[in-house]
Amino acid sequence: MTAAARKTTKPARRPAARKPALNAPRTIREFMTLALVMETEASQRYAEFADAMEVCNNLEVAALFRKMADIEGRHATQIMTEMGWSEVPPLPPGRATWEGFEAPETAPGDEVHYLMQPWHALQLALASEQRAEAFFGRLARVATVATVRRAALELEAEEREHVELVKAWLAKVPKPDSDWAVDPDPPSYTD
Amino acid sequence: MNAPTLPAPLTFSAYKSAYKPIWCPGCGDYSVLSSVTKALAKVQVPPHEVVVVSGIGCSSRIPAYTTCYGFHGVHGRALAAGTGLKVARPDLTVVVAGGDGDGYSIGGNHFLHACRRNVDLTYLVMDNHVYGMTKGQASPTTEPDWDNKLSPGGTGVRSFHPLVIALASGANFVARAFAGDPNGTADIIAQAIRHPGFSFVEILSPCVTFRPEQKEWKKLAHPSPVAPTDDAARAARRIMTDDGFNIGVLYAGDRPVYRSSTGKAKLTPADLEAEFLL
Amino acid sequence: MVQASVQQAGQVKARDAAIGISIALAGSGGSGVMTAGTLLLDAAAKAGLYGLMVRTSGPQIRGGEAAALVRLARVPIDSLDDGFDLLLAIDWQNVNRFADEIPLTAASLMIGDPDEGEPPEVFKASGARYVALPFKKTAKAIAGSWTNMVALGVAGSLAGIPAAALEAALSDSWKRGDEALQANLAALRAGIESAAGIDGMPKLAAGAAAAAKRWQISGNEAAGYGAIRGGIRFVAAYPITPATELLEWMAPALVKVGGTLLQAEDELASVNMAIGASYGGVPSLTATAGPGLALMAEGIGLAVTAEVPIVVVDVMRGGPSTGIPAKSEQSDLSFAVSGLHGDAPRLVVAPTSIADCIAATQWAVHLAEALQSPVIVLSDQFMGQSRAIIDRPDDAGYVAARLTAAADTPDYKRYRNTGSGVSPMAIPGTKGVVYTADGLEHTEAGIPSSQSRDHATQLDKRERKLAQHDYGRYWADIEGEGDAAVITFGSTTAAVREAVARARALGVDVRLIALRLLAPAQPAALAAALEAVARVLVVEQNHGGQLYRYLRSMYDLPGKPASFHRPGPLPLRPGELTTAIVEWAGTGPLGGISV
């Protein structure tokens, strides 16, 4: 076999999947369900990160993620209380909600590193809050029901506040050196 | 008359144990774990009636991270253990999980025959195209030109196509999922558990430590544009011609499921004496 | 049961009840010698006798030379004698290859069909008397009959089996039409008639009418039956000679008792399937031979570490590698007792006879379940593929009884370091006690751990549970008196027992110790069995003296232990063992045979 034949063809970058049209929720209940799922999943992801960082002995960042998980969790609880829900209602079936696989406020699962520093964690949080802000802004623009539009605008404003809070927090933590990810030792053998 | 009190539905957190995974931060397996717990919550089977069976490798650590019964056996033999368990205890829900090295290399023979046998269990492979626990060697799904210490310059060996092999070998449900799509993955796993027979879910689960370039997968993965088929030939053609990042149920068939004779005693052991009697 | 009639012939040499008579029926594929041998055994049983039939054959799948080696006696019999009284060959094609397996003497009789040529030189050289009988022509004269039925009539009649017993054996086993049965009964009678003029064969006096019903069973069937009696309800199977019949017998039997046999893709799968099923709470077994056992080693180690009970029956054959698949050898002993990586305490049990395959396997199931440990049962081809007439055995009463965890046990820990070392096992489906079974070293809770204290705790626990168990008197067969003892195991026990009896008749008293529990070693029990014994001779069928070496490594044996070992496939014969025992007992260390 020739070297050329052996070479794998990298899968061609697929033309980006057609963006699902953003269907505005038709009721407050539907809207608040979306908001609740966003907060819940964001909280779960931060908790997952916190666990991972604890296992890697990166306790400072673990604590930070734990705090973020708590904050998002509180937001979720708040929605549950306001709506008088005892469990998370299912998302309306068959309706496109957000583009991409995950809710806009959820930090991407692969954007963490065992040597990451608070600055990195806050960058992740900032991006998440910004995505949430943008999402509610878009919802407000496409909403056809007045109550839903008002609620979207309210949450957009709330997320904007969060963005500002995270920015203020970021200003207080040192920026990492360029070699922050350098580990002189190789990974460990396990099983 | 009082209506029967229904137990509160189980949420995904009821399936997640207190043990924290030893995986690298950023590993796709975290999402898969979350998807498994969400899928079990969808199916609403109590954790103590589920057994998660695995072999050896990063992803094979998953059983203890759930509140289900777990069996963490030896390298490559998870499907064998899971098959024995399900045949002996058809009442249990059996989910076998592992990685590409465990399932397709050392366990390759069991994979073929588990597909053929079509015992009603679910097999999840967290495929990252690499051996992680031994620090980065090529697995059967690794690209032939991927350079690594054990095979400098790459193995030069074609990579394995688990989905089409599963289909050709007789699996009754074949799906591809992506760790970066935890809710979609949860949905596929729930369908796999509910589907009778051997359900195989290949989950693209990036390795941030040895295959950092797999971060690109989230840009490539996309939902399958077509509905699942029960036509194996059509499914095979699709699987062989897609771009490898087509996410969804690719085949949901109606192949005969293995039937266990367990539990229907017609005779006592003493009755068997008759055949030795002169 | 047909009542045996008193022998009619006048000049019959009565044969010692215990020695019995030995008959080899030989011929090529198609000659039906195995069927004839089985019927001879059945007929003997109907005449109140006991018997053993050992099979031997060439490597061909069909058409190869084969011989049924039958020994009949008035007492239960589990070994072949030193030689054969009668070699009856339907034809002589390659039968010379069995010369070592069918030793003849000048007192032996050879009967062959003159149309098939002369007996091979190697048999003639023994000085055995040759009688020609035209089996094929006789059968041909009776339309629809088979040659082997003529042969059965000749052999049965010469052995002293009443015609009625032979006829009953044939009729009872007949599965075809009546017309063919009548033809074959006629052939049988023709055989009986043609034997009338042949003298010089020792005859067996008819046996006492059996008080209870007797069984005809092979060691493989016996092991399978014992397994089911013990509680086995799941079997994973990969075919391998000479264990296949055990698995084939179990396949339908398990279905009848509500269990399942699953055919695996290989032995790696079968052992792990058994472990998976047993983890689910169902007593499980797999059976194999040496090559399969080697493949299963990793899985057996998993069963040790994860504390999952399983029974692995190893029907030993000639090794190493593919070795001699259809012939017997006791050469997997070393592997069974020590062939796992890591410090892996396991149980090894060896039945001492075909009948004992039932109780020993049943005991193995009981031990596996009680001690949550793998048990290797060392049977062998000689026992496994031979058929014997045995007294109906009482149920040994060993049953599977696993210590399980109750639902919602507070602070449940699967691998809790209990005093006995046995810790309650949660069975999937039980609420509130979930755990993950692990082949990785673990904490008491079952969480992987590489810490020295966890490793030490669990190693001690796993060793202690086997060491502390009270195995009772069944751990070994201990017979006789004397200040010298012969130690053996497995299928050679019968030959050794016979040799010890012959030695006693010669005035040499020797104790027999047949070890049933080979691992873990039982130093206190063996010391008690060896009380007042000054020295021991270890007898086994392998090239390396594996039992001898094992005993010397695990026990303090008195005096200078001696070894008598020879590889398969030839069985150890009572005569050679008698000589060895008498020489050894009389003159001290066995000259020339020590390792």
Side-chain angles (χ1 to χ4, degrees), chain B residues 45-172:
Chain B
V45 53
H48 63 274
E49 291 174 12
V50 181
V51 185
V52 182
V53 180
S54 69
I56 294 299
C58 299
S59 53
S60 285
R61 291 292 186 114
I62 200 167
Y65 305 147
T66 73
T67 54
C68 305
Y69 277 90
F71 183 91
H72 185 202
V74 292
H75 196 25
R77 318 294 165 218
L79 278 174
T83 299
L85 173 63
K86 180 67 186 184
V87 169
R89 288 288 309 275
D91 56 311
L92 298 171
T93 297
V94 177
V95 176
V96 181
D100 39 308
D102 190 68
Y104 305 149
S105 190
I106 188 168
N109 193 33
H110 309 307
F111 178 51
L112 296 184
H113 294 281
C115 293
R116 277 183 61 215
R117 209 175 272 119
N118 207 18
V119 170
D120 185 19
L121 52 83
T122 300
Y123 184 38
L124 310 176
V125 174
M126 288 159 253
D127 189 350
N128 56 11
H129 304 3
V130 73
Y131 285 89
M133 278 207 159
T134 49
K135 298 210 301 177
Q137 295 78 30
S139 88
T141 46
T142 303
E143 304 78 359
D145 54 353
W146 185 71
D147 186 45
N148 65 92
K149 275 193 193 167
L150 194 60
S151 317
T155 59
V157 176
R158 276 183 70 86
S159 53
F160 181 93
H161 202 323
L163 291 159
V164 79
I165 286 168
L167 188 68
S169 307
N172 206 29

Side-chain angles (χ1 to χ4, degrees), chain C residues 317-562:
Chain C
R317 65 191 217 184
S321 188
T322 313
I324 311 179
K327 309 270 185 188
S328 205
E329 195 168 78
Q330 294 179 311
S331 51
D332 294 346
L333 172 68
S334 293
F335 190 85
V337 297
S338 58
L340 303 178
H341 66 277
D343 291 312
R346 89 297 308 263
L347 292 137
V348 180
V349 167
T352 58
S353 67
I354 289 174
D356 190 46
C357 285
I358 303 172
T361 311
Q362 192 174 349
W363 192 45
V365 178
H366 165 76
L367 292 177
E369 293 285 322
L371 298 172
Q372 298 177 16
S373 167
V375 181
I376 298 170
V377 177
L378 286 181
S379 174
D380 60 32
Q381 185 274 337
F382 185 87
M383 280 195 283
Q385 294 194 317
S386 299
R387 307 195 68 83
I389 309 297
I390 62 169
D391 288 320
R392 178 188 179 277
D394 290 332
D395 188 335
Y398 298 116
V399 289
R402 194 183 297 186
L403 182 64
T404 56
D408 298 317
T409 302
D411 190 29
Y412 175 68
K413 287 182 176 159
R414 166 66 186 100
Y415 301 108
R416 191 180 292 282
N417 188 24
T418 60
S420 69
V422 178
S423 45
M425 183 170 178
I427 305 302
T430 315
K431 198 170 156 288
V433 284
V434 295
Y435 77 102
T436 293
D438 213 313
L440 280 171
E441 190 57 282
H442 40 254
T443 63
E444 290 184 68
I447 296 305
S449 168
S450 54
Q451 292 184 39
S452 60
R453 69 183 67 182
D454 292 322
H455 190 39
T457 299
Q458 295 298 321
L459 285 169
D460 285 347
K461 172 190 192 291
R462 296 189 290 258
E463 185 182 62
R464 188 170 70 246
K465 68 178 179 178
L466 302 195
Q468 284 188 354
H469 186 74
D470 178 4
Y471 295 93
R473 297 178 51 164
Y474 190 54
W475 82 281
D477 290 341
I478 300 157
E479 300 160 7
E481 297 297 323
D483 64 357
V486 181
I487 304 180
T488 190
F489 80 106
S491 71
T492 54
T493 300
V496 174
R497 182 178 285 127
E498 205 171 327
V500 166
R502 291 189 198 177
R504 189 174 303 124
L506 295 169
V508 178
D509 268 348
V510 170
R511 209 172 284 193
L512 165 67
I513 300 173
L515 302 174
R516 189 172 286 101
L517 182 68
L518 290 158
Q522 302 295 303
L526 187 64
L530 290 173
E531 205 193 320
V533 166
R535 57 218 171 90
V536 298
L537 169 65
V538 181
V539 176
E540 59 196 304
Q541 189 192 19
N542 57 55
H543 188 259
Q546 296 183 12
L547 179 64
Y548 173 81
R549 293 169 191 278
Y550 175 62
L551 292 177
R552 293 210 64 180
S553 73
M554 300 301 289
Y555 294 92
D556 290 325
L557 299 176
K560 184 175 184 248

Side-chain angles (χ1 to χ4, degrees), chain A residues 6-8 11 13-14 41 44 48 51-56 101-102 109-112 186-187 189-191, chain B residues 12 20-21 25-26 30 38 56 61 133-135 143-145 156 180-183 210 215 218 222 243 245:
Chain A
R6 244 187 0 243
K7 196 102 177 148
T8 26
R13 175 83 181 269
R14 216 175 169 278
E41 296 199 348
Q44 284 161 11
E48 196 178 285
D51 285 352
M53 290 302 149
E54 276 169 23
V55 170
C56 295
F101 290 120
E102 296 196 84
D110 56 354
E111 294 290 337
V112 280
Y189 293 97
T190 316
D191 289 354
Chain B
F12 77 93
K20 292 171 190 154
Y30 283 99
K38 285 178 175 171
I56 294 299
R61 291 292 186 114
M133 278 207 159
T134 49
K135 298 210 301 177
E143 304 78 359
D145 54 353
D181 174 20
N183 291 316
F210 298 105
K215 269 194 163 187
K218 64 182 166 191
H222 58 88
D243 61 0
F245 291 93

Side-chain angles (χ1 to χ4, degrees), chain B residues 170-254:
Chain B
N172 206 29
F173 179 99
V174 175
R176 185 192 280 122
F178 172 50
D181 174 20
N183 291 316
T185 301
D187 191 51
I188 291 173
I189 295 172
Q191 289 184 58
I193 293 171
R194 289 193 183 112
H195 198 82
F198 185 79
S199 299
F200 170 56
V201 186
E202 147 96 355
I203 309 173
L204 299 170
S205 181
C207 174
V208 291
T209 298
F210 298 105
R211 303 298 309 264
E213 69 279 16
Q214 290 172 346
K215 269 194 163 187
E216 289 295 302
W217 285 359
K218 64 182 166 191
K219 295 177 190 152
L220 301 169
H222 58 88
S224 173
V226 289
T229 175
D230 62 357
D231 178 341
R234 176 181 294 199
R237 197 164 50 246
R238 277 187 196 159
I239 292 169
M240 287 300 282
T241 54
D242 76 12
D243 61 0
F245 291 93
N246 202 23
I247 303 306
V249 178
L250 304 170
Y251 173 76
D254 192 19

Side-chain angles (χ1 to χ4, degrees), chain C residues 66 69 94 100 107 111 215 264 277 328 331 416 442 501 527 591:
Chain C
L69 311 179
N94 287 322
D100 292 336
I111 302 180
W215 291 5
S328 205
S331 51
R416 191 180 292 282
H442 40 254

